[in-house]
Structure formats: structure tokens, C-alpha cells
């Protein structure tokens, strides 16, 4: 568990996760004119989170019916 800002800054796993998040954001922005590709990428990433304990689909979902991307924090 990360409890302080210093622990966050020194945690390699946290840093790697941040890099992965930024990579996905970059992929989405770079392909913003290709909605199907962006939805595929975000759906894939969201699907990988289902394996984590404590993850709920209400936290991260993509509405394919309306082509609206929602992140609920």
C-alpha cells in the first residue's frame, strides 16, 4: 500500500502503471478520428482490469451502443 507522496514517487510498479495509462491515452488521442479503433483499445484495456480483486465494471466502461467513452472515478 502506498501511503505517502514519497512512497508513490519511489514505487516502480506505480510508475510502470502510469506509463501504461499514458500509452493508452496517447493511442486514443493519436487515433481520435478512428472511433472503432479507440473503442477497441479501451475495451481491451478495460477487459484486462476484470481480473483484479476489487475491480467493478462501474468504475470503467465503454458504451458501444452510443459510442460514448465514460470513465467513472
Amino acid at each position: 500500500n502506498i501511503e505517502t507522496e514519497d512512497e508513490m514517487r519511489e514505487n516502480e510498479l506505480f510508475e510502470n502503471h502510469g506509463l501504461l495509462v499514458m500509452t493508452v491515452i496517447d493511442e486514443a488521442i493519436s487515433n481520435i478520428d478512428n472511433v472503432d479503433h479507440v473503442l477497441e483499445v479501451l475495451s481491451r484495456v478495460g477487459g484486462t482490469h476484470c481480473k483484479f480483486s476489487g475491480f467493478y465494471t462501474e468504475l470503467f466502461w465503454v458504451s458501444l451502443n452510443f459510442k460514448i467513452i465514460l470513465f467513472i472515478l
Side-chain angles (χ1 to χ4, degrees), residues 7 18 25 35 41 72-73:
E7 289 175 341
I25 291 171
V35 174
V41 169
I72 302 172
L73 302 177

Side-chain angles (χ1 to χ4, degrees), residues 4-73:
T4 68
E5 184 178 335
D6 287 337
E7 289 175 341
M8 179 181 65
R9 292 178 183 278
E10 295 172 2
N11 188 298
E12 189 173 323
L13 290 175
F14 187 76
E15 179 182 358
N16 289 338
H17 185 262
L19 290 172
L20 289 172
V21 169
M22 296 308 292
T23 299
V24 170
I25 291 171
D26 182 61
E27 177 75 11
I29 291 171
S30 295
N31 293 282
I32 198 70
D33 56 341
N34 185 347
V35 174
D36 291 334
H37 176 75
V38 172
L39 292 173
E40 163 61 30
V41 169
L42 295 179
S43 293
R44 188 171 4 108
V45 171
T48 64
H49 285 74
C50 291
K51 66 182 177 183
F52 296 113
S53 174
F55 177 81
Y56 302 97
T57 55
E58 296 83 12
L59 300 174
F60 181 102
W61 60 277
V62 177
S63 173
L64 296 176
N65 293 332
F66 300 105
K67 304 244 183 222
I68 297 173
I69 303 163
L70 298 174
F71 295 93
I72 302 172
L73 302 177

